[in-house]
Amino acid sequence: MLRSLSIKNYALIDTLQVNFDGGFITITGETGAGKSILLGGLSLILGKRADLNSLRDPESKCVLEAAFDVRGYELAEFFAQEDLDYEEQTIIRREILPSGKSRAFINDTPVTLTVLASLGEQLVDIHSQHQTLRLTENDFQFRFVDAVAGVGGMLQDYRKKLRAFRKEEKQLMQLQEQKQQAIKEHDYNQFLLNELIEAKLEPGLLEELEGTYERLSNVELIKEQLGYGTQLLEAEQYGILNQLTDLKNAVNKLASFGEEYKELAGRIASVFLELDDAGNELIGLEGNLEDDPALLEQVNTRLQQLYDLQKKHGVQEVETLMEIRDALEEKVVATEGLDEEIARAEARVAALREELHTAAKAIRVKRTEVIPGLKKALETALMPLGMPNARFDMAIVPVDEFRPNGMDELEFLFSANKGGSFNELKKVASGGELSRIMLVIKSMLAGYMKLPTIMFDEIDTGVSGEVSNKMAAIMQKMSASMQVFTITHLPQVAARGNRQFKVFKAEANGRTVTGIKELSDEERVEELAEMLGGKTLTDSALAHAKELLAVKE
């Protein structure tokens, strides 16, 4: 609840400090005294955007501060999420600087207006003419029905499932799009992969094929050189082996004359053996060498295949082609595996869809069950408020789509006159009728959920004395479980308050200022008498005022 309000340098207010308790608090004052200024200051504290023109002294900053008792509001989680210090006595401060900049603080921690407004909605419900119009919005009507139906927990569970469903649905759509794209690429990737598989790629393959191609392409030259080499080694008179034999025999004769000769003879013998073996290999190679045009063509074809693949993929190495082959194989396999992944995603979506249908139907049952009693309760509550012929036609209509509040539409129709046709509230209800309907709804909600401090801004405008008595009784009853403020011009309503505050204008240092003060019992009598009969306080007006005050007791 709102415990205190402090305002400095705002509109017609120099300095204002006021403390509040729980219960029913009425605020009165002459037209133009500044009740709207007070409300505007509180709205800034609750997150409304600031206006530089609201500074009384444009050279000084405006400071607005409010203290709230937040016990029982279950706000600890909110404070934790926003990284704020949770205090049972929470202080909200708003500063508007002469530069036009605005700053907001919760328990001395700077916050954004979004965070401030989010907290403000949970602390104070300012019921103005604009807020009354929310009664005509389907979302507000649903929240009313759902509060009475007690489906808050069911809706929370439904929305959790809906978020999961939307997430799975999005993932399924992405997989399907991925598959469509993969289908376009799959055939081409498979074609490329087949080409690389058919090439039977191995490390060193290119070098091996190029070597084979060179040999097969130069058979005659190789034969010629091999034969010439054999001739050089084995010619009868001047062959290298014959001459080397003579050299070997000559040196062998010297081997007994010293170790160095013996070693030299051994080296020459080794050279002879090596050359003799080389000669045999020359003969063998020449004998095995044959012209093979078919094999040459085959090798040439494979080489051309490799060259084409290198050019197509823009690489120089067979090993790189092998890497590309492996990557293509993974893509092809992944594409083929998408069907299984999509099937699993479709199963998850289908399961969540079924769960959502079940949850939505359960919510619909609860809503439908309370509609008759809710309709009757509203009509009954409005009868003493000058609306004896008020009738409601409400129905829950199933829809085929998942919505944030279920799978229903709510028909919330109204007729104010006997025999009149039903229509939407915004089309047939007057402003005064909407205010009374909203008051009844808020009073009913107070019995089903924890409501924040509520401030009614002249909700009783345009109603008779007897009706105002009934409206005041409703607000007084609401105040048993919550803090209720009402700004009023009606003495019947003002008298019902546990405490009464008066907003007034005065002159200070040649300037008009707005102030607020709590009225004592005697001051309340005088204030109510003025509201009843004007500035001249008659005995009858004073007596009537005392009677009104006695009623609340």
Side-chain angles (χ1 to χ4, degrees):
M1 70 175 68
L2 178 62
R3 282 298 189 184
S4 67
L5 179 64
S6 170
I7 301 176
K8 295 180 181 178
N9 193 38
Y10 175 72
L12 295 179
I13 298 174
D14 275 335
T15 301
L16 180 151
Q17 171 69 44
V18 60
N19 298 319
F20 302 107
D21 289 326
F24 187 26
I25 301 166
T26 57
I27 299 174
T28 58
E30 296 180 0
T31 301
K35 296 187 294 295
S36 61
I37 295 174
L38 190 68
L39 204 57
L42 182 59
S43 296
L44 286 174
I45 291 173
L46 299 175
K48 181 182 176 183
R49 292 201 170 275
D51 182 356
L52 187 59
N53 295 327
S54 60
L55 270 65
R56 179 171 176 81
D57 178 2
E59 301 300 320
S60 302
K61 70 178 179 180
C62 167
V63 181
L64 308 104
E65 187 173 285
F68 291 90
D69 184 342
V70 299
R71 288 176 296 179
Y73 281 69
E74 298 180 355
L75 290 172
E77 184 177 350
F78 173 86
F79 277 73
Q81 287 176 347
E82 300 299 338
D83 197 22
L84 297 169
D85 293 331
Y86 176 76
E87 301 288 347
E88 291 184 349
Q89 300 298 316
T90 286
I91 308 296
I92 297 178
R93 188 172 79 256
R94 188 82 184 275
E95 297 179 357
I96 305 170
L97 306 180
S99 63
K101 291 184 179 179
S102 169
R103 299 185 298 186
F105 303 85
I106 297 176
N107 292 331
D108 286 329
T109 300
V111 295
T112 64
L113 276 188
T114 301
V115 173
L116 183 60
S118 180
L119 177 61
E121 288 177 357
Q122 301 177 74
L123 295 177
V124 180
D125 178 5
I126 297 180
H127 182 95
S128 60
Q129 183 178 2
H130 172 73
Q131 206 264 3
T132 298
L133 293 176
R134 292 188 60 208
L135 175 59
T136 65
E137 298 172 1
N138 196 244
D139 182 56
F140 180 86
Q141 295 165 359
F142 253 122
R143 288 211 300 274
F144 172 47
V145 172
D146 289 342
V148 177
V151 295
M154 297 171 70
L155 272 172
Q156 190 175 6
D157 181 63
Y158 167 85
R159 287 168 182 152
K160 183 179 179 181
K161 285 183 170 65
L162 183 58
R163 286 192 296 271
F165 175 77
R166 296 296 186 212
K167 182 180 179 181
E168 290 290 350
E169 203 174 38
K170 182 179 179 181
Q171 290 177 346
L172 174 59
M173 188 178 298
Q174 290 173 342
L175 285 172
Q176 290 171 334
E177 290 174 356
Q178 186 179 342
K179 180 183 177 181
Q180 291 301 316
Q181 184 63 30
I183 288 174
K184 295 177 183 178
E185 299 175 356
H186 179 270
D187 291 343
Y188 183 58
N189 287 338
Q190 185 68 65
F191 171 74
L192 294 177
L193 177 61
N194 290 340
E195 279 188 328
L196 293 170
I197 291 174
E198 289 171 5
K200 298 179 180 177
L201 303 173
E202 294 178 4
L205 176 62
L206 182 62
E207 292 78 5
E208 181 184 344
L209 288 173
E210 287 177 337
T212 302
Y213 179 80
E214 287 298 319
R215 289 195 300 274
L216 292 175
S217 299
N218 296 279
V219 169
E220 293 302 324
L221 174 62
I222 294 172
K223 274 188 175 183
E224 180 182 335
Q225 295 304 315
L226 288 174
Y228 179 63
T230 301
Q231 184 180 354
L232 287 174
L233 285 171
E234 297 184 353
E236 281 189 18
Q237 190 172 359
Y238 298 108
I240 294 173
L241 286 176
N242 287 332
Q243 294 187 40
L244 191 56
T245 297
D246 293 340
L247 176 61
K248 182 179 68 169
N249 292 333
V251 175
N252 281 340
K253 293 176 181 179
L254 302 174
S256 60
F257 295 114
E259 189 63 33
E260 64 273 23
Y261 298 113
K262 183 178 180 180
E263 181 181 343
L264 180 60
R267 289 171 61 192
I268 293 172
S270 296
V271 170
F272 178 83
L273 290 173
E274 186 68 26
L275 283 176
D276 186 49
D277 185 62
N280 292 330
E281 189 169 347
L282 284 171
I283 294 170
L285 288 171
E286 183 180 4
N288 293 329
L289 193 62
E290 294 182 5
D291 192 12
D292 191 343
L295 179 59
L296 177 62
E297 181 62 27
Q298 181 181 346
V299 171
N300 183 53
T301 300
R302 289 210 67 196
L303 273 175
Q304 194 59 49
Q305 181 186 34
L306 288 179
Y307 293 149
D308 290 344
L309 288 172
Q310 287 176 327
K311 183 177 180 180
K312 176 181 285 190
H313 294 283
V315 299
Q316 300 294 326
E317 306 291 337
V318 170
E319 287 75 12
T320 309
L321 283 176
M322 293 171 67
E323 292 174 3
I324 294 172
R325 176 198 64 196
D326 295 341
L328 284 169
E329 191 169 19
E330 289 181 6
K331 284 185 179 181
V332 170
V333 171
T335 300
E336 293 170 350
L338 269 178
D339 287 335
E340 293 182 7
E341 195 171 351
I342 288 173
R344 290 193 294 269
E346 286 175 337
R348 291 193 298 268
V349 169
L352 282 170
R353 182 182 288 111
E354 186 61 30
E355 289 180 21
L356 281 170
H357 274 289
T358 301
K361 287 178 183 177
I363 292 170
R364 182 180 304 135
V365 169
K366 289 281 190 180
R367 287 169 172 167
T368 304
E369 286 176 351
V370 302
I371 289 294
L374 186 58
K375 173 178 171 294
K376 184 177 180 180
L378 279 173
E379 293 170 351
T380 301
L382 287 170
M383 288 181 67
L385 299 183
M387 300 174 66
N389 297 314
R391 295 291 183 271
F392 290 89
D393 184 13
M394 292 183 281
I396 302 297
V397 181
V399 295
D400 292 330
E401 61 181 315
F402 296 125
R403 297 179 177 179
N405 61 351
M407 298 182 68
D408 300 324
E409 282 184 352
L410 173 62
E411 290 183 352
F412 200 101
L413 306 180
F414 175 71
S415 173
N417 304 309
K418 194 171 184 177
S421 59
F422 288 98
N423 212 325
E424 296 178 22
L425 276 169
K426 61 184 176 183
K427 294 182 179 179
V428 295
S430 66
E433 289 169 340
L434 285 175
S435 292
R436 281 172 275 178
I437 295 170
M438 180 63 96
L439 175 61
V440 168
I441 286 177
K442 286 291 176 69
S443 68
M444 292 176 65
L445 284 173
Y448 291 96
M449 58 191 295
K450 176 71 175 178
L451 292 179
T453 290
I454 189 166
M455 182 170 286
F456 293 107
D457 182 16
E458 299 184 357
I459 194 172
D460 47 23
T461 299
V463 300
S464 66
E466 182 56 33
V467 171
S468 66
N469 273 327
K470 300 294 184 183
M471 294 180 72
I474 291 174
M475 288 185 276
Q476 188 177 32
K477 183 178 180 181
M478 289 175 66
S479 71
S481 59
M482 60 186 295
Q483 187 183 42
V484 178
F485 288 84
T486 185
I487 297 173
T488 181
H489 286 290
L490 296 179
Q492 294 89 342
V493 176
R496 289 272 187 160
N498 302 110
R499 299 171 67 186
Q500 183 176 343
F501 290 80
K502 180 177 181 178
V503 178
F504 60 89
K505 278 185 179 178
E507 285 192 10
N509 300 322
R511 301 173 66 187
T512 300
V513 296
T514 289
I516 184 172
K517 68 174 183 176
E518 183 177 3
L519 300 179
S520 65
D521 290 342
E522 289 185 4
E523 288 172 331
R524 289 190 73 177
V525 172
E526 292 178 1
E527 173 71 5
L528 293 173
E530 281 190 19
M531 295 172 73
L532 287 164
K535 290 291 185 181
T536 303
L537 299 180
T538 64
D539 290 340
S540 60
L542 290 169
H544 192 183
K546 291 178 182 178
E547 289 176 4
L548 290 177
L549 285 171
V551 170
K552 77 178 180 65
E553 300 173 359

